[in-house]
Amino acid sequence: MLYIGSHVGFKKDSQLLGSLQEALSYGANTFMFYTGAPQNTSRYPILDGLTLEAMTLMKEHGFDYSKVVVHAPYIINLANDKDPDKFMFSVRFLQEELERCELLGIRQLVLHPGSHVGLGIDTAISNIAKGLNMILGTHPVTVLLETMAGKGTEVGSTLEELKRIIDLVDDKEHIGVCLDTCHLNDAGYDMKEFDSFLEKFDQLIGIDKIGCVHVNDSKNVLGAHKDRHENIGFGTIGFDTLLSIIYHEKLEEVPKILETPYVDKDYPPYRYEIEMIRNKKFDSNLLDRIRNQS
Ligand code: FE
Ligand code: FE
Ligand code: ZN
């Protein structure tokens, strides 16, 4: 079965119920959300009543909640320990995210490994593992390290770097990986050769560690180290390649999450992109259709 969705909002007054309703409006059968604004760490208390209502609605729609994931805010940076207070702030905030995930019944949390900001890759990798080792296993939540584009001093743009982090993590049961097709392309991994990429991933890390796939096209060429997402089929990766990843038999159980840009910054594309993915046929007029029907 295909599990496909997008990132959706999580608002103070509607919380998980609102996120689910948004996902349902896109025809999705999974979704990803931030427990507050992606770019900051201010968070509201989780309201259990709304969580329960969402659970009931999910049952009615045959939604498999184990496929839903949370994304940690970008500003958590476990790689940098120049300022010990800032490092501990990141660790504590991540710990609180694990708590929120547990309250919400979420089992998988996507995390950007971090940026080394001049400390160098070796220090960064040991810092990330140190931070993770302080908190993993305290909650029944698996942290999925996202593959990064390699913008600036980002850590995790190669499988070898991710492997080195995972090797240093004590609690192997609660660590995994989230593939992001745009980031992989921008990092220099050719998604047209996805089978050989997956083989390499399996040798280094193990396919069973893949907990989520972010499906995005890219505005930039292979190896650009840029990280600018494009709508499905309208970028340099292309529709057929993305479709072969989405329907890859070895990733059938893994949720696929769209993080493609709103059209003209206003219109969410997800209902249309999901429909196009289910139809398995590229629609070159899709963006105009979104503009006109929204
Ligand atoms: Fe991400
Ligand atoms: Fe992503
Ligand atoms: Zn990105």
Side-chain angles (χ1 to χ4, degrees), residues 16-195:
L16 188 65
L17 183 61
S19 306
L20 172 64
Q21 284 164 336
E22 185 181 342
L24 289 170
S25 80
Y26 299 148
N29 61 356
T30 186
F31 57 95
M32 178 177 83
F33 62 100
Y34 294 80
T35 62
Q39 65 278 14
N40 70 44
T41 53
S42 73
R43 293 292 182 266
Y44 324 111
I46 303 294
L47 302 171
D48 289 341
L50 290 168
T51 306
L52 282 172
E53 265 187 80
M55 300 280 187
T56 308
L57 191 58
M58 273 189 252
K59 266 202 189 117
E60 281 170 30
H61 285 268
F63 231 85
D64 182 350
Y65 192 42
S66 71
K67 305 295 182 188
V68 177
V69 297
V70 162
H71 197 308
Y74 317 136
I75 62 157
I76 293 181
N77 186 7
L78 296 180
N80 179 7
D81 71 344
K82 261 190 226 168
D83 178 340
D85 290 338
K86 274 193 192 152
F87 175 76
M88 281 316 295
F89 177 82
S90 281
V91 170
R92 264 195 305 274
F93 191 82
L94 192 59
Q95 167 96 46
E96 286 163 21
E97 281 285 278
L98 294 182
E99 277 160 28
R100 272 185 288 274
C101 284
E102 188 176 13
L103 275 174
L104 289 161
I106 293 282
R107 290 288 180 260
Q108 305 199 93
L109 175 67
V110 176
L111 174 73
H112 294 180
S115 293
H116 70 68
V117 295
L119 291 175
I121 199 73
D122 296 336
T123 308
I125 285 171
S126 83
N127 285 342
I128 295 164
K130 180 175 73 179
L132 289 171
N133 283 336
M134 290 182 199
I135 55 173
L136 284 186
T138 55
H139 296 277
V141 181
T142 296
V143 169
L144 303 177
L145 300 172
E146 183 164 350
T147 61
M148 302 309 288
K151 183 168 42 99
T153 63
E154 270 173 0
V155 183
S157 64
T158 68
L159 297 185
E160 286 78 7
E161 286 175 13
L162 293 173
K163 179 191 162 51
R164 284 175 65 194
I165 300 168
I166 293 169
D167 281 348
L168 293 172
V169 165
D170 299 326
D171 183 359
K172 301 279 192 274
E173 211 188 305
H174 292 106
I175 189 79
V177 173
C178 171
L179 303 181
D180 184 309
T181 55
C182 168
H183 298 175
L184 286 169
N185 172 80
D186 289 17
Y189 291 103
D190 190 352
M191 293 292 93
K192 290 177 184 69
E193 309 292 331
F194 191 72
D195 278 325

Side-chain angles (χ1 to χ4, degrees), residues 1-4 179 181 191-202 207 210 213 215 239-256 277 280:
M1 179 154 158
L2 171 65
Y3 296 96
I4 181 105
L179 303 181
T181 55
M191 293 292 93
K192 290 177 184 69
E193 309 292 331
F194 191 72
D195 278 325
S196 58
F197 167 81
L198 214 51
E199 215 168 282
K200 189 178 178 203
F201 188 99
D202 197 35
I207 261 183
I210 301 173
V213 180
V215 182
F239 187 72
D240 291 340
T241 299
L242 290 171
L243 207 67
S244 72
I245 297 168
I246 292 167
Y247 286 99
H248 201 287
E249 53 175 15
K250 288 188 176 151
L251 300 177
E252 202 191 338
E253 291 301 312
V254 178
K256 318 293 184 321
I277 286 164
K280 300 186 182 179

